[in-house]
Amino acid sequence: MAAAVNKRLLPLFYLRQRRKRKQRYRKKYWIRDIFRSRFLLGEYHTLVKEMHENDHESFYKYFRMTPERFDNLLLLVGPMLTKKSLYREPISAGERLSVTLRFLATGDSQQTISFSYRIGLTTVSNIIAETCDALWIALQDYITSPSKPEEWKQIADDFWNVWNFPMCCGAIDGKHLVMQCPPGAGSDYFNYKGTHSIVLLACCDARYLFTMIDIGSAGRNSDGGVFSHSQFGQALERNEIGLPAPDILPNTTDTRCPYLFTADDAFPLKTWMMKPYKVSFLSESNRIFSYRLSRARRIIENTFGIASARWRVWRRPVLASPEKVTAIAKAVCVLHNYLMTEEWGVPHEAKRYCPTGFADSEDRNGKNCPGGWRAITSEDTGLLSIGRQGSNNYSQDAKYVQVMLTEYFSSNEGQVPWQYRHVTSTGN
């Protein structure tokens, strides 16, 4: 009987021991004294509110957006960030959005944000993760991937009218988003440049807007098939994105060319993807083709540059898990498109996010004039170029398209007046 009683009491014994261990390791503070004065001394309740009311110039520098844009963004994400608590007043949706935007705009450590806003470090970490997810949900419509031939043709018309490259449906590039090594990951995320990262593949239109993004491939895959194994690359390979049928080149009567994308030499040559010739021993017509293609391809380079110059979390390694780095990247992409789109109809002299001269431009001889973002991001360590995405092998059909465009750019129908001055210029 005694043995039976002991067996019944055994669970109670273990429960008491468990409670003792919990009491031993219980937090010293429920909330630290310096965080109790958040409403009086926290950055959101003092500096941010003062700038919102009286200093819009400083508010823009602080958040990379005007107070009106901030308020509109808060209306979109506020319902997803509003919390309720029975024991204490919860952190408001506006303060949660402020914490996250400040982290993305500066790339400061979460500990720094914790001290300035007088919010616990764990709470700041949770706020950033939840708000990045909310930003993606609320703003993902600003990254509109075309699905109909008419929509792709509109992008191609923009590339032809602005950058003089025909049949172009977008520019493609990829970047390594550098982060700390995840616990227990080993070499899974270790890339060829000696850092740990995940890969962001993106496509943009002629207006520096992301149209397609693919995030999350481990950095160790950088030397091979990141693009070919991504959902983005596989959809292009299988022609599942709704590209139009081949069409007649501008100013010609019967020369048909497939719709395509532009990329740098790291990507493979395909009928639907053009890249420049190798730099050695090029004829004049080949140099003209590479020059014309580079004008269209630089758009994605500028898109990444503008985004990383404004959202500086991309300019340094992110101390977070791969899942959180992915959420941060998605938030930066949609915020970039949101602010670029909202400024599209604004006069050039009134633009703030991407003012005149901030992106690359050209002089009358077609010489590239570096944009203002390059001076800001010249020493980036958080956003690195990807490696070669396959071998130099290509199909005869792909080479035929490249040669056809090469001849077209050197003909009367496809040439631009300054291309010969550019390829023969000595730089003076």
Side-chain angles (χ1 to χ4, degrees), residues 147-161:
S147 58
K148 299 179 181 179
E150 295 75 18
E151 296 172 342
W152 288 116
K153 287 183 179 181
Q154 181 59 55
I155 294 177
D157 290 342
D158 290 340
F159 268 99
W160 172 248
N161 295 328

Side-chain angles (χ1 to χ4, degrees), residues 44 48 62-63 70 94-102 117:
Y44 176 75
V48 172
Y62 189 90
F63 283 126
F70 180 90
E95 191 165 3
R96 289 171 178 272
L97 179 60
S98 176
V99 166
T100 303
L101 291 180
R102 187 58 179 165
Y117 278 80

Side-chain angles (χ1 to χ4, degrees), residues 78-152:
M80 291 179 280
L81 301 179
T82 302
K83 306 292 182 178
K84 295 182 180 180
S85 176
L86 297 175
Y87 305 104
R88 53 183 175 174
E89 185 174 352
I91 300 173
S92 66
E95 191 165 3
R96 289 171 178 272
L97 179 60
S98 176
V99 166
T100 303
L101 291 180
R102 187 58 179 165
F103 170 74
L104 298 178
T106 62
D108 287 344
S109 69
Q110 296 177 30
Q111 184 68 77
T112 301
I113 303 292
S114 168
F115 287 140
S116 62
Y117 278 80
R118 294 180 181 257
I119 300 174
L121 176 60
T122 302
T123 305
V124 167
S125 179
N126 293 335
I127 286 174
I128 291 173
E130 293 172 3
T131 308
C132 284
D133 290 337
L135 287 169
W136 172 253
I137 294 172
L139 302 178
Q140 60 182 325
D141 288 343
Y142 281 88
I143 298 184
T144 54
S145 178
S147 58
K148 299 179 181 179
E150 295 75 18
E151 296 172 342
W152 288 116

